[in-house]
Amino acid sequence: MKQSGFLLSFILCFYVVFSQQYIVTTVAGNGTPGYSDGTGIKSIINGPNGMCFDRLGNVFFADENNHVIRKIHADGTVSTYAGTPKVAGALDGRKANALFNGPHGLCFDRLGNLYVADYNNHTIRKITMLGTVTTIAGSPVAGFQDGQGKDAKFNYPIGLAVDSKNNVYILDTYNNAIRRMTPDGNVTTFAGNGTAGYANGKGRNAMFDSPIGICIDMYDNLYVVDANNKAIRKITPDGTVSTYLNTDFKGFTDSTIYYSRKKLSFASSLTNTGGGVAVSPDAKKLYIADGGANVIFKVDVEKKYVTVIAGTGGIGWRDGEGKKAIFNSPVEIIADGQENIYVCDYRNNCIRKIKPKPIPPKKENNEVVIVKPNNNPKNSNTNNTKPEINTPKIYTLQGTVKDKVSGVMIPNIQIQIDEDKNSSTLSDKEGKYKKEINFGKHVLKVQVQGYLPYQADIIVPEKQYENIYDIMLEKIEVGKKMVLKNIHFEPNSTKLVDTSYKYLQDFAEYLKKNPSMKVCINGHTDIGSKNEQDNINLSENRAKVVMLYLITQGVSKNQLSSKGFGSRIPIADNTTSEGRAKNRRTEFEVIEK
């Protein structure tokens, strides 16, 4: 029985190791230290050391020795986002003119501001969506002091994470502490006490020794790479510190033991061979970049398995199959919901991507089954035979475009149907339009200078071959309000759902076509919180997020303002789920035309 139990354990571990394989590629940098923007390996990097995603999935990284923040766009192009290349300093201002000194950790807050741990300046810098860089905490003089903004002191801050309330957590490496900065810039010590050591406990009773990597999960739990203790520490939202994973993998099954026996080996942050940690959006997996062992670990939180998914443990640079790939001091790591993992490969001066290798489908049974026709009329069932339906594939949508108040026809108006530009049509000189269209649900959009933007969801019935739909446009008038459709946020958050950006981009184009119009972005919530002030704060911040995003799309900031009303102005019944969904809305109000 003991032997069979051991065999079962071996099989389980074997399955975990070999059921999913990964592919490693280089997406930025070419191994040569230096500086140059470009696409993929045509770009040149010098010491990548800090990374994060923005809300659209673009990768931002700190190029430490070039003293700049870089961005990897969706098409693989690497550009300089902030800082003056190869010039160290401590200068605030526009992001292209600002100076950093060895930037490390990065994180975005829920409002789209980017925070930078400016390592050698002992400060935390903030880059707004409008491109302004400011020093919001710390000063160029190292120390260990809580306080407001620049009164606080850090000693080589190296990593950052932001929680659901926009508090920023700072790994204060040489103070062996985790600091917390509120949105208004007040800094306190969240865990650790400035003394190197190893102790679990709450707040200042806990001890760390060279914390160098940090991430946060959906429940606001922090995970910290405690380098010199060779452990991953977990900190709950109330500041309680525990050991989540140590070099012995206590409490976890080491599924790599059968081929590599790799253990946590972060070495020292002094030699830039520390490491980083990332958590999946569902908090079910941890990914660890171990700069000492030169491998990437994956931790299955539910199954309690630890595996090496990339790296041989040797030092070098090789892409390809995960376990055959080679790294040289992977020091930072981030991961998205599809297990696309990005790694700062520090000494190779490049950014590597690790993605799951597609698992081929199982081979089906090759048995051929022959079904003979039933020629017995007694057993035939004519009722199961579907009659042929001669339904035309194309239907006609037609109507007029009118002024809602006067009823006057509006000629030569572009009508967009869905997102397909080929489906668009024009009203004629009399204001009539006609378009052949498939049956089903469609979205009609009209943007005309001098009128409010128009959007309607319509359904073309399958059996109604000619469909009449008149489009009624309202002139821009001060005080007019209109709900921005399809603008949604994650629950109790100011983070926009990804599908919202396309609609905001459309609204930005409309505002740019009407430059004299000024609007206020109004945020409204349902009765999500018993404390109405919480509802008001949430609605204000959501409205501000929308406003700032519109500015990034080229809308003049002079056209925009924002306001939050909480749940005080419902448009439906808050006691039903349908009503609450309608009350959670973002609208714009014309305040000047």
Side-chain angles (χ1 to χ4, degrees), residues 103-344:
H104 279 51
L106 305 176
C107 72
F108 277 96
D109 69 11
R110 301 302 193 268
L111 300 176
N113 301 302
L114 178 60
Y115 292 85
V116 181
D118 200 357
Y119 187 74
N120 292 324
N121 279 328
H122 313 290
T123 56
I124 306 302
R125 315 287 289 281
K126 177 181 178 180
I127 308 174
T128 67
M129 290 181 67
L130 301 180
T132 302
V133 179
T134 57
T135 301
I136 57 170
S139 68
V141 178
F144 185 25
Q145 180 175 303
D146 291 341
Q148 183 70 37
K150 295 181 180 181
D151 291 335
K153 293 187 183 299
F154 304 97
N155 196 354
Y156 295 100
I158 199 170
L160 301 176
V162 64
D163 69 11
S164 61
K165 298 179 181 178
N166 279 338
N167 296 305
V168 177
Y169 295 86
I170 303 153
L171 281 186
D172 197 358
T173 304
Y174 285 83
N175 282 326
N176 298 293
I178 288 79
R179 317 288 289 281
R180 180 168 65 184
M181 181 178 67
T182 59
D184 64 357
N186 186 47
V187 177
T188 56
T189 300
F190 185 63
N193 55 28
T195 302
Y198 185 63
N200 291 323
K202 190 169 184 178
R204 287 177 174 264
N205 293 323
M207 297 177 72
F208 302 85
D209 192 347
S210 193
I212 45 85
I214 189 171
C215 68
I216 191 165
D217 69 16
M218 62 186 294
Y219 306 108
D220 285 346
N221 296 304
L222 295 170
Y223 301 86
V224 174
V225 175
D226 194 4
N228 290 345
N229 285 320
K230 293 179 171 49
I232 303 294
R233 313 288 289 281
K234 180 178 180 179
I235 312 175
T236 59
D238 68 351
T240 300
V241 179
S242 61
T243 299
Y244 187 79
L245 188 71
N246 60 18
T247 191
D248 296 324
F249 295 160
K250 185 177 180 181
F252 290 79
T253 300
D254 175 8
S255 303
T256 68
I257 195 171
Y258 297 103
Y259 76 95
S260 66
R261 287 186 175 272
K262 291 296 177 189
K263 299 293 184 182
L264 298 179
S265 177
F266 296 114
S268 171
S269 62
L270 296 174
T271 58
N272 285 312
T273 56
V277 61
V279 62
S280 62
D282 60 6
K284 294 182 178 180
K285 297 178 181 67
L286 284 184
Y287 304 93
I288 303 169
D290 194 326
N294 287 298
V295 297
I296 308 301
F297 288 102
K298 174 183 173 181
V299 181
D300 190 312
V301 175
E302 292 184 327
K303 296 179 180 178
K304 296 291 185 180
Y305 285 120
V306 178
T307 60
V308 171
I309 61 172
T312 65
I315 297 175
W317 182 23
R318 182 168 68 203
D319 287 342
E321 185 180 327
K323 298 184 184 70
K324 296 179 181 179
I326 304 177
F327 298 84
N328 191 356
S329 297
V331 297
E332 187 60 275
I333 187 169
I334 55 176
D336 66 15
Q338 285 73 49
E339 278 202 289
N340 293 305
I341 303 163
Y342 292 84
V343 178
C344 286

